[in-house]
Amino acid sequence: MLVRGWRRSWQRRSKLERIDLYSRLTISVIPWLFTLSWQLTPFKSDIRHAPLPIALGVALLLVSLTQCLLSNRNVESSYAHYLDVAVFPGKRQLPPLFLLLVNLGLLAALVGIDGVGDPGLLIMMLNAPIAFAITQSLLVPVRTFLIQSFAFTALSVVVLAVAGVRGGMLAGVVPTSLFGSLLVLISVRPSAWSLKVMWQAEDARDLQARLAVAEERLRFARDLHDVMGRNLAVIALKSELAVELAQRGRPEAVDQMVEVQRIARTSQQEVRDVVRGYREADLSTELAGARGVLSAAGIECEVTGESGDRLPGPVQSALGWVVREAATNVLRHGDPRRCTIRLNTSAGAAVLRVENDGVKSDGAENGAGGGAGVGAGPVPGGSGLAGLRERLRVLDGSLEAGPAGSGLFRLTATIPLEPAAPLGAVVPAARGEEPATEKAPALQEEAR
């Protein structure tokens, strides 16, 4: 049952979590492996078989095993400190440091009573700093760790020299002590660094996924605003007209409500297209739809210039959204009597201008620019102009909107044709949106 539970726990972990667990377990095993091999080996032949040397050797072994326990206790906290997850409490390193000094003192005592041979001394000296260094290597920078290692080596040389170690044996203590510390550094530190990089990459992927979701939400909100804005404005307009006609007993009220029903059904299909991510505005359809709905609202609408049929698909789609948003705002704001839509193309850029009158001198919201009046900016909280600028920015285009004098309001959309919009390119309507794969049905027919 224990094995099954452990297996289920292992299988529930992600690949990165398994690597993390494996790294921590490996680091926890290292001090035990070295202690049980290097600290026990001298008992066979290097420690003199007498009561006092054996007692000191056993005490040294117990101190080393305690160092292993403390090292394992600090592995989690030191890893968390290195990964910038938590701060390691500095006081937890004081007991391991004290035991390291005790270990060095016991080695000096064994040397002082001539209780250990030279090979045994070097082996135990090699093991002495490992348990403490495992945690320390994760808590301080590499440069600081190396300085501390040299300091411990120098202290070891001084202590063992006082205990009676001389000549080549004393010189051999230097590389032996440094080797133990460097062994820990090159095995533990790179492992922790690799783990940190992998966790950072995992966090970056999570962040990228969250940003993709946020961008998709913005895309959906913008498309829904652009799709439903004009249709709802037309429905409201025709509903008001139908009410007035019904109140007068005119049979044309039925025709207006039939038209409202048709537009509502078209809106349903367009919303489905937005949800599927297939929504793409058609410039010719939008120009015809804008002329129809504005004319139905009693606004004289003139579409001049080129048809735009030869423009690349992404450019047509972007300009189609501009026409739709501009027509929506002409219906919503001010009291315009005339609106002109002009499309000019050249080798360098496609320029669409939408101009309407009816701008109020007191700065009230009106005009094709999403509710900008004389000296006023976009409507607070509005998303029309912001959405259009996002669409045009994908194609390196720009959008300008503002009063043009003489009570006029002008919206100008410019999209460079080379090299931002190569012929046949498929450019999504917004960042993070899948490329459109089919045309939406006709948006609007000419209103009666």
Side-chain angles (χ1 to χ4, degrees), residues 328-370:
T328 300
N329 287 321
V330 169
L331 288 172
R332 285 178 176 175
H333 308 295
D335 186 21
R337 296 184 301 274
R338 180 180 177 81
C339 178
T340 302
I341 303 175
R342 178 182 296 274
L343 175 64
N344 294 322
T345 60
S346 63
V351 180
L352 176 73
R353 290 187 177 88
V354 182
E355 190 174 271
N356 67 279
D357 60 4
V359 177
K360 298 178 182 180
S361 59
D362 59 354
E365 297 171 356
N366 63 84

Side-chain angles (χ1 to χ4, degrees), residues 194-224:
S194 301
L195 196 61
K196 183 176 184 178
V197 170
M198 287 188 287
W199 276 117
Q200 288 175 342
E202 183 73 11
D203 292 340
R205 282 192 292 268
D206 291 342
L207 178 60
Q208 185 178 19
R210 289 194 295 269
L211 289 176
V213 171
E215 289 179 355
E216 180 62 14
R217 287 176 178 173
L218 290 175
R219 180 202 69 81
F220 182 81
R222 184 177 63 246
D223 284 3
L224 193 61

